[in-house]
Amino acid sequence: MERIEEKLRILADAAKYDVSCSSSGSKRKNEGGIGDASASGICHTYTEDGRCVSLLKILLTNHCIYDCAFCVSRRSNDVKRAAFTVEEVVELTMNFYRRNYIEGLFLSSGIFKNADYTMERLLRIVKKLRLEEKYHGYIHLKTIPGASEELIKEAGMYVDRMSINLELPSEEGLKLVAPEKNHDSVRKPMAFVDQTIQEIKQESALIKKKPLFVPAGQSTQMVIGATPENDYQIMKVADEFYKSYHLKRVYYSGYIPINAQNKNLPQIGSTPPLVRENRLYQTDWLLRFYDFQLEEILNPEHSRLDLEIDPKLSWALRNPHCFL
């Protein structure tokens, strides 16, 4: 029991840097089991009506074959390592749920051995929860970049939301601090998940009871402030992903300096760009809910958001003719 508690402490702490948890929007119903993802949104902060809801947010393991300079779980970092078994994650989830500690599961993982090896274990966890434990609550699963389409598709039948992190906004920035990775390994599974979602929607007219496949859609996350991309570059990527892959959310995570050895990153002691992060979210909202076009807010001539005022006010001040 002490070892499980130690694993939980290590792997919950390692998962805190992933901010892509929010309301599920899932329509998965309880059909004779435990839990209900359709009753309310699941997130790790607050819902729109002010309720605080919780989920078990952990990594399967913080062992990783990659050495991304911005990541606390990089292979060269001198941190305690741990790994849950499939059975331990299932048992923890069910025990926490029965005790009313959580309302859902957010499961991610470092990559150990290879992408398929890791993805296969994540798949086993969600299958055991759904099929053996009859758990119908919310599950958000992080897709492993480079995993096979077969594993991703099967996992999508058991989870509510899938996400795969783009990590850095540009390929150049990614190569600067994570040369072993590339954006293609993110775009391909994202496109595959979106294509499968669209195919199932089209088949729903012919099938009486269509299968559930990632009913709450997919999301991604970008680290901002670690590499020199401007706000226009960041939001251009987000805008493209919303249009190309029908994402539910793009998350912007201000870089927290954790690596003093890499001179390409802001050094420890630097202030995280929290105000900039907030301005990016405000811009994101204008694009998704207020029918703004990206070029109205940011463009090559106006490539950085004003940190002193919100982007809607900034647009209004630049376009006084719209109010005459």
Side-chain angles (χ1 to χ4, degrees):
M1 192 62 193
E2 289 181 1
R3 180 55 181 156
I4 294 295
E5 290 178 359
E6 183 182 18
K7 286 183 182 182
L8 185 58
R9 178 182 58 80
I10 294 170
L11 296 173
D13 184 70
K16 69 184 180 184
Y17 295 98
D18 199 315
V19 299
S20 54
C21 308
S22 72
S23 299
S24 70
S26 179
K27 294 180 172 59
R28 187 180 299 276
K29 296 180 180 179
N30 188 327
E31 299 178 346
I34 294 174
D36 190 346
S38 63
S40 62
I42 301 297
C43 67
H44 75 306
T45 51
Y46 295 89
T47 58
E48 290 182 355
D49 61 3
R51 290 176 298 108
C52 181
V53 292
S54 57
L55 71 167
L56 178 60
K57 183 180 179 183
I58 55 174
L59 301 183
L60 174 61
T61 181
N62 65 341
H63 290 279
C64 194
I65 62 175
Y66 291 114
D67 200 30
C68 306
F70 58 87
C71 181
V72 70
S73 296
R74 64 186 183 276
R75 67 171 183 264
S76 64
N77 200 18
D78 185 18
V79 295
K80 280 190 174 182
R81 305 287 178 174
F84 284 122
T85 65
V86 170
E87 291 72 20
E88 286 170 343
V89 176
V90 172
E91 185 177 351
L92 275 172
T93 304
M94 297 310 299
N95 284 340
F96 276 38
Y97 192 90
R98 290 189 178 105
R99 288 168 173 77
N100 202 31
Y101 293 160
I102 62 168
E103 296 172 87
L105 172 66
F106 178 96
L107 182 60
S108 184
S109 182
I111 302 173
F112 56 131
K113 290 195 176 181
N114 56 60
D116 278 351
Y117 183 89
T118 308
M119 192 70 199
E120 189 270 336
R121 275 147 186 77
L122 296 175
L123 171 59
R124 284 170 55 194
I125 290 169
V126 297
K127 285 185 71 173
K128 284 178 74 70
L129 283 168
R130 295 299 194 205
L131 302 180
E132 296 180 21
E133 300 294 337
K134 306 301 181 185
Y135 174 74
H136 294 282
Y138 177 71
I139 298 178
H140 181 152
L141 185 68
K142 302 293 290 194
T143 309
I144 302 300
S148 70
E149 292 183 351
E150 291 78 10
L151 289 172
I152 293 172
K153 185 171 184 178
E154 187 173 5
M157 297 295 182
Y158 299 101
V159 304
D160 298 284
R161 174 166 288 183
M162 299 184 88
S163 59
I164 181 167
N165 288 349
L166 187 65
E167 309 291 15
L168 279 304
S170 70
E171 192 80 42
E172 295 77 16
L174 190 65
K175 291 300 180 185
L176 190 66
V177 294
E180 299 165 295
K181 290 187 174 181
N182 61 74
H183 279 180
D184 195 46
S185 65
V186 174
R187 288 176 175 271
K188 280 186 176 180
M190 198 174 283
F192 173 73
V193 170
D194 179 59
Q195 180 184 353
T196 306
I197 291 173
Q198 302 311 317
E199 288 174 352
I200 289 177
K201 283 182 179 179
Q202 292 173 5
E203 292 171 357
S204 62
L206 305 174
I207 303 174
K208 186 175 182 181
K209 186 176 180 180
K210 65 178 181 180
L212 280 179
F213 180 83
V214 196
Q218 55 178 338
S219 61
T220 193
Q221 174 176 310
M222 288 187 277
V223 177
I224 58 146
T227 46
E229 295 89 1
N230 60 44
D231 299 325
Y232 175 61
Q233 290 174 294
I234 293 169
M235 293 311 304
K236 189 174 183 180
V237 172
D239 191 48
E240 179 205 344
F241 275 42
Y242 281 129
K243 292 174 179 176
S244 299
Y245 308 123
H246 305 94
L247 295 192
K248 293 295 184 180
R249 288 290 301 274
V250 174
Y251 292 86
Y252 312 93
S253 177
Y255 176 67
I256 300 172
I258 56 174
N259 188 356
Q261 298 176 346
N262 192 296
K263 302 305 179 183
N264 293 320
L265 292 169
Q267 295 303 291
I268 292 175
S270 302
T271 303
L274 300 182
V275 176
R276 185 186 182 196
E277 178 185 305
N278 185 49
R279 296 295 182 226
L280 289 168
Y281 277 117
Q282 291 173 327
T283 304
D284 187 281
W285 244 250
L286 291 176
L287 296 179
R288 290 194 294 130
F289 298 117
Y290 293 91
D291 294 327
F292 274 79
Q293 298 300 309
L294 176 60
E295 285 68 24
E296 295 180 86
I297 308 168
L298 290 164
N299 52 60
E301 289 73 38
H302 179 70
S303 62
R304 297 186 183 276
L305 294 167
D306 192 328
L307 298 183
E308 299 299 321
I309 57 176
D310 71 68
K312 183 167 61 175
L313 176 57
S314 177
W315 173 84
L317 291 174
R318 296 196 311 273
N319 295 274
H321 60 279
C322 294
F323 303 93
L324 295 176

